[in-house]
Amino acid sequence: MANAIMLQGTGSDVGKTVLVAGLCRAAKNRGLKVRPFKPQNMSNNAAVADIPGDTAGEGEIGRGQWLQALACGVRPTVYMNPVLLKPQSDVGSQVVVQGKVFGEARARDYQAMKAKLMDAVLDSWAKVGEGADLVIVEGAGSPAEINLRSRDIANMGFATRANVPVILVGDIDRGGVIASVAGTHLILPEEDRRMIAGYLINKFRGDVSLFDDGIKAIEKFTGWRCFGVVPWLKAAGRLPSEDSVVLERLASGEKRALKVAVPMLARIANFDDLDPLKAEPQVEVVFVPPGKRLPENAGLVVIPGSKSTIGDLIKFRENGWDRDLAAHRKRGGHVVGICGGYQMLGRMVRDPEGIEGSVREAEGLGLLDIETVMEPEKTVRNSSAQSVQFGLPLEGYEIHLGRTTGPDTARPSTILNGAEDGAVSADGKVIGTYLHGLFSADAFRAAYLGSLGVKGGGIDYRAAVEKALDEVAAELERHLDCDAIFGLAR
């Protein structure tokens, strides 16, 4: 097995994903063969990854592990995130194991399922470490959830089984970081507490020396060493985000030439499809929360992917967004629907087998003359594609259920792996596609924005992500004792 270290958090959304990505890039820059690993992830922002040795070839992992693999300079595999939970209701999730759909489970049922899933986690762990010098592991949530400890596979349950030393991450930006670190120490059982080699503080704003007394206090309470205090990483904002929690903090930026409105669906998926547009200097992307109207001055509305198309379609109407969208179209506005958003744009979505839940059909938004029928077989693949409108190459992937047919598919929006995909309205202003990553292709993005009267392009989006990873790694080298952190690995 390769040497390994693990980052666990005092809570969710403390910045573990970015820190692991940054440390992976820092280790790569030091010449190490490094790999990421997250035993269990919960996210509807999924990515396509290789299944080594499988003729099917590809499966799903969390978007965070895809980013971390990019930081390592390696192709992602399903073993980097063996258990992925994709929430599709308030009480249940789809369970993906080593890239493939394993089943659905309510929260209580999933707890009982974990014992079997640990075998898949440990099998994947052995495979990820093959040929690597270092594996950097990301925990999930917090190890302080001791009510769930007996069946844990994501934090200390994994760390103790795999004998991986842990660094605890505290988020000072949310407040109470001293109590969260000291409190974690207090309530952990001794077996778990022994696994923690120290901690680091993340998201510090201002003069770091002001926290010197905080470090002394934490040491007094815990005896743990501090590996450093990480400032607020501006470059992290240019990296794809995995957790939809981040959407709750997004605010409208400065006014620009084109406003793009994105309704925040309850089961929004793969919302990082919008990141390339956010990077454009002339584009303002506004995520619209439930209860708020779609802005009247938006030139483009993008309906993103969804893990529960029918459920989100019903909520779409409850929010009154269907009326806002109809008014947007009357004003001559443009609409793009991606994956689940594409399905919503049609006349009807049917689910005869109840794959998504108990509601078997829902009337669509009626902006495209198409109909979608949900089918059990899921399409998961990286795709070579081309824009029909501009004849330009596209890049991206597909993760979807359902087959879409209808008259408007005679005007496809894209060619995916040699086959026609998507649909376009007669006036060309409504576009639907199953291709995630549509806006990542720089030439297409520039051409599409140009068709809306906005200057785009001049940005190499992929290069910008690589540059942001390098900047995060440089900041971590500057503010953390990376020699000591990498020296912990065993």
Side-chain angles (χ1 to χ4, degrees):
M1 287 299 301
N3 289 334
I5 52 175
M6 184 175 191
L7 268 59
Q8 296 184 18
T10 56
S12 297
D13 195 38
V14 299
K16 298 185 300 293
T17 299
V18 170
L19 291 174
V20 169
L23 288 172
C24 283
R25 178 53 61 92
K28 175 181 179 291
N29 290 344
R30 290 177 173 219
L32 296 174
K33 295 178 182 178
V34 59
R35 305 288 185 268
F37 186 73
K38 184 162 185 170
Q40 172 193 292
N41 200 347
M42 177 178 281
S43 177
N44 277 333
N45 258 21
V48 176
D50 294 342
I51 306 178
D54 190 307
T55 54
E58 294 167 313
E60 294 179 78
I61 62 171
R63 200 88 185 136
Q65 285 59 69
W66 175 89
L67 176 67
Q68 290 160 358
L70 184 68
C72 295
V74 299
R75 287 180 63 86
T77 75
V78 296
Y79 303 129
M80 294 173 179
N81 174 209
V83 179
L84 174 63
L85 306 179
K86 305 186 74 174
Q88 53 190 19
S89 71
D90 289 339
V91 295
S93 297
Q94 183 181 78
V95 183
V96 178
V97 179
Q98 292 182 330
K100 298 294 186 182
V101 175
F102 184 77
E104 288 79 32
R106 297 170 67 90
R108 184 173 296 278
D109 297 332
Y110 178 68
Q111 295 303 315
M113 189 186 293
K114 282 184 176 180
K116 290 186 288 187
L117 297 181
M118 179 60 95
D119 292 338
V121 167
L122 294 176
D123 175 67
S124 296
W125 169 243
K127 291 182 167 96
V128 163
E130 292 175 358
D133 300 317
L134 174 67
V135 179
I136 304 180
V137 186
E138 179 186 346
S142 168
E145 295 165 344
I146 54 177
N147 55 309
L148 303 176
R149 172 62 178 89
S150 63
R151 293 171 174 165
D152 175 60
I153 65 173
N155 290 304
M156 287 302 178
F158 169 78
T160 53
R161 285 286 300 272
N163 191 29
V164 177
V166 174
I167 296 172
L168 192 65
V169 179
D171 178 0
I172 198 168
D173 188 60
R174 65 176 58 187
V177 72
I178 296 173
S180 64
V181 175
T184 300
H185 178 276
L186 176 67
I187 68 173
L188 285 181
E190 180 58 31
E191 177 190 20
D192 292 351
R193 194 184 299 142
R194 282 198 305 267
M195 301 303 300
I196 298 181
Y199 69 96
L200 64 85
I201 302 297
N202 197 25
K203 305 182 189 176
F204 192 93
R205 301 175 191 260
D207 184 353
V208 173
S209 67
L210 295 176
F211 195 66
D212 288 348
D213 288 341
I215 293 173
K216 292 177 183 176
I218 293 174
E219 184 178 3
K220 177 182 176 182
F221 283 114
T222 68
W224 291 335
R225 67 168 294 181
C226 179
F227 287 99
V229 179
V230 180
W232 189 271
L233 298 170
K234 293 182 180 179
R238 306 200 306 272
L239 296 175
S241 180
E242 177 184 70
D243 197 332
S244 60
V245 172
V246 73
L247 295 180
E248 298 170 8
R249 299 192 297 271
L250 289 178
S252 175
E254 62 186 66
K255 295 188 183 304
R256 298 177 180 178
L258 175 67
K259 178 174 283 188
V260 179
V262 185
M264 286 171 55
L265 308 174
R267 297 300 165 197
I268 190 170
N270 299 80
F271 56 83
D272 59 321
D273 282 340
L274 282 299
D275 285 354
L277 288 179
K278 285 164 55 183
E280 287 284 350
Q282 296 300 310
V283 178
E284 174 193 4
V285 177
V286 180
F287 285 87
V288 183
K292 298 291 185 180
R293 297 191 62 180
L294 300 180
E296 293 184 1
N297 60 344
L300 171 65
V301 173
V302 178
I303 305 179
S306 168
K307 186 62 188 71
S308 181
T309 300
I310 289 178
D312 275 346
L313 185 52
I314 292 170
K315 292 290 186 182
F316 199 98
R317 281 204 164 81
E318 290 178 0
N319 279 305
W321 288 336
D322 58 330
R323 297 187 296 273
D324 295 343
L325 192 63
H328 170 78
R329 281 288 288 138
K330 286 182 180 179
R331 292 190 296 269
H334 293 253
V335 180
V336 172
I338 300 175
C339 199
Y342 166 41
Q343 296 172 339
M344 292 182 201
L345 290 175
R347 290 179 284 101
M348 185 70 69
V349 180
R350 304 184 192 278
D351 185 10
E353 298 187 36
I355 296 167
E356 288 193 346
S358 59
V359 180
R360 299 303 174 101
E361 64 178 41
E363 183 181 353
L365 300 172
L367 299 190
L368 289 173
D369 192 3
I370 57 171
E371 179 176 304
T372 297
V373 178
M374 296 300 178
E375 297 176 336
E377 188 67 27
K378 180 185 281 193
T379 299
V380 179
R381 61 183 178 181
N382 284 306
S383 299
S384 59
Q386 185 178 48
S387 162
V388 173
Q389 180 181 1
F390 300 107
L392 293 170
L394 299 171
E395 54 191 63
Y397 59 98
E398 299 167 74
I399 301 177
H400 70 87
L401 291 170
R403 181 171 52 88
T404 299
T405 57
D408 280 352
T409 62
R411 291 184 295 271
S413 59
T414 55
I415 304 297
L416 287 183
N417 299 318
E420 293 181 343
D421 163 75
V424 180
S425 62
D427 66 359
K429 292 187 175 182
V430 181
I431 297 172
T433 179
Y434 277 117
L435 182 70
H436 288 291
L438 174 69
F439 297 113
S440 296
D442 300 321
F444 166 80
R445 188 173 66 254
Y448 181 71
L449 292 176
S451 73
L452 303 185
V454 177
K455 183 178 180 180
I459 298 172
D460 185 333
Y461 177 67
R462 294 293 187 191
V465 172
E466 291 282 359
K467 182 180 179 183
L469 285 168
D470 283 334
E471 289 179 20
V472 169
E475 286 288 281
L476 297 188
E477 288 277 18
R478 188 174 298 118
H479 295 282
L480 296 179
D481 188 346
C482 287
D483 288 340
I485 289 174
F486 295 145
L488 283 175
R490 65 170 183 256

